[in-house]
């Protein structure tokens, strides 16, 4: 309980002061007439000493801020009191007490109210932001938890599944594995696991069986064997199939690249042209009009360098052919296959040549390449020997390699 004495001239002044200092709930517990202290007291009017008390600690500094509404009500109440008090003060002390006049007090209260409203507003905004953040985090946790539960569930199911057990050692991409399992399960025919699996895998591999004629372009990352593959094909087409073959290279970037293909052209005695810029391309192709096949070599480019790929695309577009081959090595890491294939899709390749099968013992990469590239396999290469180490495998032979039933020595 808070008790306070007030010396006032009349009860109006007392009430205003009590309300201001102790609040609306204050009660008057005593009032007596007193004289002002000192000699002056004998000559002036008697004053009233009022004792008031309040249970609550509410005053203008301790407003309990439950909400904006509470604050508004409290502050309006205080403002009302202040105005009353100001009026009373003005009546009693018109001149001497200017500095504690109602106006100043009103201003203080207003500032106090604004300050507290601002604090509350900020507090509310902060709380809303924190709540939203918390909700977001909870949502993320929910997703993570769901993923974890699903993964654990999938993993448990996978571990129990002999098909997954078999696929895991083939080094296949998870998404490809999933699609194989789905297709496997959709086959109603009762067959042994291996046979059923072979059936599914064979459906995933398509082979290009068309003839090689007109301009044929070879694109792909550096060092995968584009030039060597062209040399092998040129030998095979000219020496074995007796076709008229022409060679063109746009690879003037790498030192020795021109000489590499030129040497093969000289050995096989076939025409050879170097294209230095896009305008030369049409002319080079035109100069080989009498050839059945024109094999066009390009510079090896990183699939991550879209600038270089765009430049290459300009050359390829000039060739104007439906026969563009992506050359990619079977030794490519699974994680890189999708990046390479996606990058080279810019060049609109329509066939795939998979090289260096002799350099790996796990042929799952062939399926991964085909899965990402979604195009026919044209050839596979199996060594450095020109022109021997190039093959056209059918889907069954490729699947036997993938399943480990066969290998490339
Ligand atoms: N083991 C093996 N090596 C190969 C095969 N094909 C090519 N090579 C070798 O791979 C290396 C690079 O071959 P290139 O034909 O120059 O490769 P490229 O793609 O033209 O290279 P860039 O023009 O630099 O992009 C050479 O040493 C080839 O002998 C293959 O099927 N098996
Ligand atoms: Mg090359």
């Amino acid at each position: 309980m808070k008790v306070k004495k007030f010396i006032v001239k009349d009860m109006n002044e007392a009430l205003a002061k009590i309300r201001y200092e102790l609040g609306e709930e204050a009660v008057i517990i005593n009032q007596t007439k007193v004289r002002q202290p000192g000699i002056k007291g004998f000559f002036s009017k008697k004053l009233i000493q009022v004792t008031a008390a309040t249970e609550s600690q509410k005053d203008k500094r301790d407003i309990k801020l439950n909400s904006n509404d509470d604050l508004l009500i409290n502050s309006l109440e205080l403002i009302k009191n202040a105005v009353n008090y100001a009026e009373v003060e003005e009546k009693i002390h018109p001149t001497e007490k200017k500095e504690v006049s109602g106006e100043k007090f009103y201003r203080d209260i207003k500032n106090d109210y604004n300050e507290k409203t601002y604090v509350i507003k900020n507090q509310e905004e902060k709380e809303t932001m924190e709540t939203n953040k918390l909700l977001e985090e909870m949502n993320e946790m929910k997703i993570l938890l769901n993923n974890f539960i699903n993964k654990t569930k999938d993993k448990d199911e996978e571990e129990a599944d002999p098909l997954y057990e078999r696929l895991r050692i083939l080094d296949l991409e998870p998404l490809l594995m999933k699609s194989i399992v789905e297709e496997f399960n959709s086959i109603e025919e009762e067959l042994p696991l291996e046979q059923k699996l072979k059936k599914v895998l064979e459906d995933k591999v398509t082979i290009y069986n068309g003839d090689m004629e007109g301009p044929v372009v070879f694109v792909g990352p550096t060092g995968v064997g584009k030039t060597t593959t062209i040399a092998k094909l040129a030998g095979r087409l000219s020496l074995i199939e007796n076709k008229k073959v022409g060679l063109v290279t746009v690879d003037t970037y790498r030192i020795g690249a021109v000489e590499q293909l030129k040497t093969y052209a000289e050995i096989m005695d076939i025409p050879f042209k170097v294209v230095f810029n896009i305008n030369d391309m049409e002319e080079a192709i035109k100069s080989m009009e009498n050839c059945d096949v024109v094999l066009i070599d390009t510079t090896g480019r990183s699939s991550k360098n879209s600038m270089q790929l765009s430049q290459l695309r300009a050359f390829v577009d000039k060739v104007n052919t439906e026969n563009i081959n992506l050359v990619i090595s079977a030794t490519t890491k699974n994680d890189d296959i999708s990046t390479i294939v996606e990058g080279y899709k810019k060049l609109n390749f329509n066939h795939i040549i998979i090289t260096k099968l002799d350099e790996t013992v796990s042929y799952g990469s062939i399926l991964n390449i085909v899965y990402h590239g979604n195009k026919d396999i044209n050839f596979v290469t199996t060594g450095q020997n020109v022109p021997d180490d190039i093959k056209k495998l059918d889907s069954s032979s490729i699947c036997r390699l993938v399943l480990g039933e066969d290998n490339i020595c």
Side-chain angles (χ1 to χ4, degrees):
M1 179 183 280
K2 190 175 175 186
V3 181
K4 191 158 185 185
K5 281 182 186 168
F6 299 91
I7 310 260
V8 290
K9 289 199 168 169
D10 57 36
M11 284 310 287
N12 274 345
E13 187 189 354
L15 287 173
K17 282 186 169 169
I18 291 166
R19 275 198 200 124
Y20 167 53
E21 290 198 38
L22 299 178
E24 274 295 305
E25 280 151 33
V27 286
I28 295 171
I29 50 175
N30 187 26
Q31 66 181 81
T32 50
K33 290 203 168 174
V34 292
R35 283 193 184 280
Q36 274 189 56
I39 196 95
K40 204 177 157 199
F42 286 99
F43 301 103
S44 57
K45 214 177 141 194
K46 273 192 174 173
L47 298 173
I48 311 167
Q49 178 181 289
V50 182
T51 311
T54 182
E55 290 265 10
S56 88
Q57 288 298 304
K58 265 191 203 170
D59 65 15
K60 80 178 179 84
R61 302 272 162 221
D62 294 332
I63 297 167
K64 198 158 188 304
L65 303 175
N66 293 327
S67 69
N68 263 338
D69 288 350
D70 279 356
L71 176 75
L72 191 66
I73 291 161
N74 281 323
S75 295
L76 283 175
E77 204 51 45
L78 282 169
I79 290 164
K80 209 170 85 192
N81 290 345
V83 172
N84 288 342
Y85 175 73
E87 280 168 4
V88 174
E89 279 286 324
E90 277 305 304
K91 270 183 202 154
I92 306 166
H93 309 293
T95 48
E96 344 151 31
K97 290 210 168 180
K98 270 275 179 255
E99 71 282 4
V100 285
S101 75
E103 241 178 74
K104 182 177 178 289
F105 180 56
Y106 173 76
R107 205 171 51 243
D108 285 350
I109 295 280
K110 207 173 146 196
N111 287 343
D112 195 33
Y113 170 74
N114 286 341
E115 203 178 285
K116 280 177 176 154
T117 313
Y118 177 75
V119 169
I120 283 200
K121 237 175 130 191
N122 272 359
Q123 262 174 359
E124 279 176 356
E125 270 170 20
K126 209 174 146 203
E127 274 166 20
T128 316
M129 273 166 68
E130 276 169 5
T131 313
N132 286 344
K133 206 172 157 227
L134 206 68
L135 283 173
E136 257 174 45
E137 278 172 9
M138 278 172 70
N139 227 13
E140 275 172 24
M141 278 167 69
K142 213 169 122 186
I143 293 168
L144 280 175
L145 199 66
N146 272 342
N147 284 350
F148 178 74
I149 291 168
N150 286 341
K151 262 191 191 160
T152 321
K153 220 170 79 189
D154 283 356
K155 223 173 169 190
D156 288 347
E157 280 168 14
E158 282 171 22
E159 262 160 25
D161 191 338
L163 176 59
Y164 265 105
E165 190 88 338
R166 178 75 180 94
L167 289 176
R168 232 190 319 272
I169 52 170
L170 301 185
D171 200 20
L172 303 177
E173 291 246 341
L175 280 176
L176 173 59
M177 243 160 61
K178 204 167 176 234
S179 103
I180 291 171
V181 172
E182 277 165 13
E183 281 162 45
F184 183 98
N185 292 334
S186 69
I187 299 175
E188 284 169 8
E189 205 181 338
E190 282 296 321
L191 288 171
L193 186 143
E194 280 304 303
Q195 222 173 316
K196 220 171 172 181
L197 182 58
K198 206 177 276 178
K199 214 172 161 183
V200 175
L201 297 191
E202 278 178 22
D203 282 350
K204 296 236 165 256
V205 180
T206 50
I207 306 295
Y208 177 66
N209 281 316
D211 276 339
M212 275 226 161
E213 49 192 33
V216 184
V217 179
F218 299 80
V219 295
T222 48
V224 289
K226 296 177 292 297
T227 310
T228 314
T229 302
I230 288 172
K232 288 171 185 172
L233 283 170
R236 187 180 156 130
L237 290 163
S238 65
L239 305 174
I240 302 168
E241 295 182 28
N242 282 327
K243 284 192 174 168
K244 282 191 111 191
V245 181
L247 298 182
V248 171
T249 186
V250 298
D251 187 7
T252 52
Y253 180 80
R254 191 168 58 80
I255 298 166
V258 171
E259 273 60 40
Q260 192 184 355
L261 201 59
K262 196 175 165 205
T263 311
Y264 287 120
E266 281 169 2
I267 295 168
M268 292 177 219
D269 194 22
I270 53 179
F272 172 69
K273 285 258 171 213
V274 184
V275 169
F276 290 94
N277 58 54
I278 296 172
N279 302 329
D280 293 345
M281 182 60 93
E282 266 173 302
E283 213 181 289
I285 305 275
K286 216 163 173 225
S287 72
M288 296 198 178
E289 260 176 352
N290 62 334
C291 292
D292 301 312
V293 192
V294 179
L295 305 174
I296 302 158
D297 196 7
T298 62
T299 316
R301 294 297 192 196
S302 158
S303 54
K304 290 191 282 180
N305 192 329
S306 50
M307 254 276 275
Q308 289 182 342
L309 284 187
S310 301
Q311 285 169 351
L312 190 55
R313 161 119 199 226
F315 276 100
V316 174
D317 283 352
K318 275 280 171 191
V319 179
N320 195 20
T321 177
E322 285 294 297
N323 205 337
I324 302 166
N325 294 267
L326 170 68
V327 184
I328 180 167
S329 167
T331 60
T332 312
K333 278 191 286 175
N334 278 350
D335 287 347
D336 295 335
I337 289 174
S338 62
T339 317
I340 291 170
V341 172
E342 287 311 314
Y344 271 94
K345 276 185 181 166
K346 252 197 193 141
L347 284 115
N348 298 325
F349 63 87
N350 18 40
H351 309 303
I352 300 170
I353 293 176
I354 303 175
T355 58
K356 307 195 184 183
L357 263 61
D358 57 305
E359 284 195 8
T360 181
V361 284
S362 118
Y363 301 96
S365 58
I366 303 179
L367 281 191
N368 293 335
I369 292 167
V370 173
Y371 173 69
H372 283 292
N374 200 22
K375 298 286 178 208
D376 305 335
I377 296 182
N378 201 349
F379 290 97
V380 296
T381 74
T382 55
Q384 292 178 292
N385 293 323
V386 177
D388 293 339
D389 293 339
I390 186 158
K391 283 189 172 77
K392 192 129 209 164
L393 291 182
D394 58 18
S395 54
S396 159
S397 311
I398 288 179
C399 291
R400 275 195 289 119
L401 282 176
V402 173
L403 290 169
E405 294 173 4
D406 204 353
N407 60 61
I408 304 278
C409 297

